[in-house]
Amino acid sequence: DAGITQSPRHKVTETGTPVTLRCHQTENHRYMYWYRQDPGHGLRLIHYSYGVKDTDKGEVSDGYSVSRSKTEDFLLTLESATSSQTSVYFCAISESPGAYNNEQFFGPGTRLTVL
Amino acid sequence: AQTVTQSQPEMSVQEAETVTLSCTYDTSENNYYLFWYKQPPSRQMILVIRQEAYKQQNATENRFSVNFQKAAKSFSLKISDSQLGDTAMYFCAFMKARANAGNMLTFGGGTRLMVKP
C-alpha cells in the first residue's frame, strides 16, 4: 500500500469554526490531491498540488484553501466550516502525469461533520 | 468539462455469476484514460482496472474486464465468477492525458454492488 496517512480520521465541529485536514505521504510523489465524497456525486476534486508551493483549484474549491510547504504534506483548510462541507475527504497522490505512472493512490479518508 | 455517468445506483449478483456495470462519459478529448475503482465498506479506494483510450484492446485483470467503446463513449466493467469480497461501491473515472500538470480524475456517482451467497 502507498504510504498515505490522513489526520484526523474523524472530526465533528461547529459551523463557523476553522478546520485543517492533513495529508502526509512517504512516497515522495510530486502530485497531491484533495477530493470530497458525497452520496450520488462520487468523488469531486477540491484542490491539487503539482509541487511545493504550487497549487491549483479543482471543481469544488469554494470555501477551501490548501497549502504545501513540504513535498510530503498537503493541508486542506476550511476557513469557516459550513454544514454543506460535511463530507468524507480523501487525499490522493500520483507520481507524474506520464502514461504508465499516473495512477492515483488514495488515503484512508477523513469523515468531517459540521453541526 | 468532462462528465461521467453511472446509470445503475445499485446492483446485485449471485456468487459465482457474472455482472456488468455500466459507465458512459462525455468528453471532447481524444487522448485520455478510464478507470474503475472499488470502494469496500472500509472506505479505501482501490484501483481495479485501467484503460488507455488509444488502445483498442480491452483491458483485463484476472476476473475483471472492460468493454471500451470509444465512439459510443462507453466503458463497462464485467466481473466474472463474482465473489463475496466483490461487494463494494464501484466508481468509473475519467482522466485527461496531460503531459505537464496534475491528472485530475472525474468520477461517476457510483454503483453499489451486492454479491449474494
Side-chain angles (χ1 to χ4, degrees):
Chain A
D1 289 345
I4 312 169
T5 56
Q6 292 184 231
S7 58
R9 294 292 312 280
H10 303 271
K11 186 171 181 67
V12 179
T13 191
E14 294 188 348
T15 297
T17 60
V19 176
T20 295
L21 308 183
R22 180 183 184 235
C23 177
H24 179 77
Q25 61 144 329
T26 58
E27 305 296 322
N28 201 36
H29 283 1
R30 178 181 176 188
Y31 297 91
M32 299 185 75
Y33 312 81
W34 277 107
Y35 292 89
R36 60 177 288 173
Q37 181 179 17
D38 304 292
H41 291 280
L43 279 73
R44 292 178 292 175
L45 183 69
I46 304 172
H47 281 280
Y48 69 98
S49 169
Y50 48 97
V52 173
K53 298 185 180 179
D54 292 323
T55 65
D56 205 350
K57 296 179 179 180
E59 179 187 357
V60 290
S61 59
D62 288 349
Y64 301 94
S65 63
V66 291
S67 65
R68 189 168 178 202
S69 59
K70 299 184 289 185
T71 298
E72 57 266 35
D73 289 326
F74 193 32
L75 304 180
L76 177 70
T77 297
L78 291 65
E79 299 291 347
S80 178
T82 67
S83 59
S84 65
Q85 293 175 312
T86 292
S87 187
V88 179
Y89 291 85
F90 284 93
C91 174
I93 65 174
S94 69
E95 187 173 0
S96 89
Y100 297 101
N101 52 5
N102 62 4
E103 178 182 349
Q104 289 188 19
F105 301 92
F106 286 82
T110 293
R111 181 176 294 278
L112 175 67
T113 302
V114 183
L115 301 175
Chain B
Q2 284 61 233
T3 59
V4 179
T5 302
Q6 295 178 247
S7 59
Q8 306 149 315
E10 294 186 356
M11 296 189 71
S12 63
V13 63
Q14 291 296 132
E15 194 176 8
E17 294 189 346
T18 295
V19 64
T20 298
L21 281 57
S22 300
C23 173
T24 58
Y25 58 95
D26 188 25
T27 184
S28 59
E29 301 285 325
N30 189 50
N31 295 320
Y32 51 86
Y33 305 94
L34 295 164
F35 303 84
W36 279 98
Y37 279 88
K38 170 185 177 181
Q39 187 181 44
S42 66
R43 212 165 60 195
Q44 183 67 46
M45 294 289 288
I46 302 165
L47 179 64
V48 175
I49 199 165
R50 178 174 91 169
Q51 176 78 43
E52 291 87 348
Y54 63 85
K55 290 186 177 179
Q56 292 187 340
Q57 186 174 6
N58 289 324
T60 300
E61 289 287 342
N62 301 313
R63 298 182 295 108
F64 299 88
S65 61
V66 299
N67 183 4
F68 172 49
Q69 301 290 328
K70 190 173 183 180
K73 296 180 181 175
S74 171
F75 182 61
S76 61
L77 174 70
K78 185 172 79 171
I79 306 175
S80 304
D81 185 25
S82 296
Q83 300 176 0
L84 297 178
D86 295 334
T87 292
M89 282 288 289
Y90 287 82
F91 293 98
C92 178
F94 172 99
M95 177 191 288
K96 286 194 278 189
R98 300 172 68 178
N100 58 359
N103 290 331
M104 291 158 280
L105 286 165
T106 300
F107 285 85
T111 295
R112 185 176 302 279
L113 177 67
M114 172 74 72
V115 179
K116 298 180 178 179

